[in-house]
């Protein structure tokens, strides 16, 4: 049996060039260089239907089946989402709503990185804590970090180049993997 820990990376932004995506793509690279860690980047956010309890029944919409399967296959979840209007983007709240009717997220170790600038993104964090509480996910406080992404921190390869930021992302992954 493998001791490898598998972390599902869940971006909360649909924007091309998203800073939150940049952080999670960098997390994937950091994890790939870390023995015992594996990640999967979730790309289905934009394809989820609007949550409707009438659709939350067999047969589930295919994108919802894929989302729940991805969560089930992971040992832990790492979220990186922007804040819109003081809370989560509607599309990401929609994703979380789709997890409530399944059992896959129950007790799943879950953390977030807040990549917003200093003093920003607190509303998204607060909402994440509330909503994840309803989903039954196990929030790993020690792995939840604010890592503001400065302008210019992204290299030509589209990843965070700053070794200190990479180190902090690595610490989040390690904490989450140990949970
Ligand atoms: C419609 C809209 C509303 C926003 N509201 C907030 C907000 O309430 N608080 C905040 O800190 N940032 C807010 N922002 C800024 C975004 O969170 C910020 O630009 C973030 O970096 C976007 O993430 P992304 O680069 O991953 O797309 C808002 C941006 C948009 C487009």
């Amino acid at each position: 049996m493998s001791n490898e820990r598998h972390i599902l990376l869940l971006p909360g932004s649909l924007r091309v060039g998203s800073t939150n995506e940049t952080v999670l793509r960098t997390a994937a690279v950091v994890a790939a260089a870390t023995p015992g860690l594996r990640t999967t980047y979730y790309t289905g956010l934009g394809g989820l239907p609007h949550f409707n309890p009438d659709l939350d029944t067999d047969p589930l919409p295919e994108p919802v089946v894929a989302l729940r399967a991805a969560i089930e296959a992971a040992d832990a979840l790492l979220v990186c989402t922007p804040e819109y209007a003081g809370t989560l983007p509607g599309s990401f709240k929609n994703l979380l709503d789709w997890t409530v009717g399944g059992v896959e997220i129950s007790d799943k170790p879950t953390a977030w990185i807040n990549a917003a600038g200093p003093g920003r993104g607190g509303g998204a964090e607060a909402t994440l804590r509330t909503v994840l509480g309803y989903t039954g996910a196990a929030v790993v406080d020690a792995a939840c970090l604010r890592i503001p992404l400065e302008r210019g921190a992204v290299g030509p390869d589209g990843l965070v180049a700053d070794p200190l930021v990479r180190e902090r992302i690595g610490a989040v992954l390690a904490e989450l993997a140990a949970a």
Side-chain angles (χ1 to χ4, degrees), residues 21 59 67 82 168-169:
E21 173 170 354
L67 169 68
R168 297 192 72 201
I169 292 172

Side-chain angles (χ1 to χ4, degrees), residues 103-115:
V103 294
E104 298 79 8
I105 202 169
S106 294
D107 299 324
K108 191 77 66 176
T110 301
W112 59 78
I113 293 174
N114 177 1

